[in-house]
Amino acid sequence: MAIQRWDPLRDLREIRDRMNRVFDDVAARNPTSGNGETVASTGWQPPVDVFEVDDRYILRVDLPGLTTSDVQLEVENGTLSLRGERKPEASVATDAYLRSERPHGQFSLQLALPPSIDRQKIRATHRSGVLEIVLPKRREEPPSRIQVQGLIVQRYVDQH
């Protein structure tokens, strides 16, 4: 088991993220938010895990009920963008719900990529409702010595 140094800012960020999720969940359960927008127009945020393994970073995004055609993944200008939409079930009328906790509508997620990512080797798989994005790190080339060849220096003397 690896020993991890305590970082109070990390704990505060985790608390903030949890609170944001709580507020997002409450807003998603309301048919309208405080400013009159519907849940479908405000969107939702899927849960995401990001972790690092020796030679790569891995993102896992929970997207149950979505197919690969419901999701778009792009890398542009050092940013990974994930967008998609979970549509409500057409077979059930909105007023028929007695309880509705599963969010639907559009979602969007952007993550800044570190420069060490090999963008040409990024790959994604979608299995059992989990999208896994593998971001390989570029291989560092070990420093090497360069042999300097002897140079011939000619001197021109101005004869005036």
Side-chain angles (χ1 to χ4, degrees):
M1 178 158 106
I3 297 175
Q4 191 173 24
R5 189 174 280 184
W6 180 64
D7 179 7
L9 292 177
R10 181 183 61 229
D11 292 343
L12 289 173
R13 284 189 296 268
E14 287 177 10
I15 291 170
R16 180 197 62 202
D17 291 344
R18 287 180 188 165
M19 291 301 295
N20 284 341
R21 284 194 194 272
V22 167
F23 286 116
D24 289 344
D25 288 346
V26 169
R29 290 179 187 151
N30 263 342
T32 60
S33 63
N35 61 5
E37 293 178 316
T38 62
V39 174
S41 66
T42 59
W44 58 285
Q45 196 73 5
V48 178
D49 289 338
V50 181
F51 57 96
E52 182 178 7
V53 181
D54 299 326
D55 60 345
R56 64 194 175 277
Y57 297 98
I58 298 176
L59 280 77
R60 289 191 180 139
V61 186
D62 285 348
L63 298 171
L66 274 71
T67 64
T68 55
S69 62
D70 296 326
V71 179
Q72 295 134 18
L73 183 63
E74 296 176 352
V75 175
E76 187 176 4
N77 297 327
T79 301
L80 180 126
S81 298
L82 176 65
R83 292 181 191 81
E85 182 175 6
R86 179 184 290 144
K87 297 181 175 134
E89 288 188 48
S91 62
V92 180
T94 305
D95 59 349
Y97 280 99
L98 302 175
R99 183 175 183 147
S100 177
E101 295 185 0
R102 296 176 15 191
H104 61 274
Q106 296 181 349
F107 67 89
S108 178
L109 172 70
Q110 282 82 31
L111 295 170
L113 297 177
S116 62
I117 296 296
D118 188 346
R119 290 178 175 85
Q120 303 302 319
K121 295 183 180 176
I122 294 173
R123 67 184 201 286
T125 56
H126 187 238
R127 262 181 268 155
S128 301
V130 177
L131 176 66
E132 182 174 276
I133 305 166
V134 177
L135 305 160
K137 296 177 185 175
R138 271 192 230 134
R139 282 183 28 154
E140 295 283 330
E141 293 295 325
S144 60
R145 292 192 173 199
I146 300 171
Q147 184 81 24
V148 177
Q149 301 295 320
L151 299 175
I152 299 174
V153 179
Q154 293 183 351
R155 193 172 191 174
Y156 292 97
V157 180
D158 212 337
Q159 298 181 10
H160 284 11

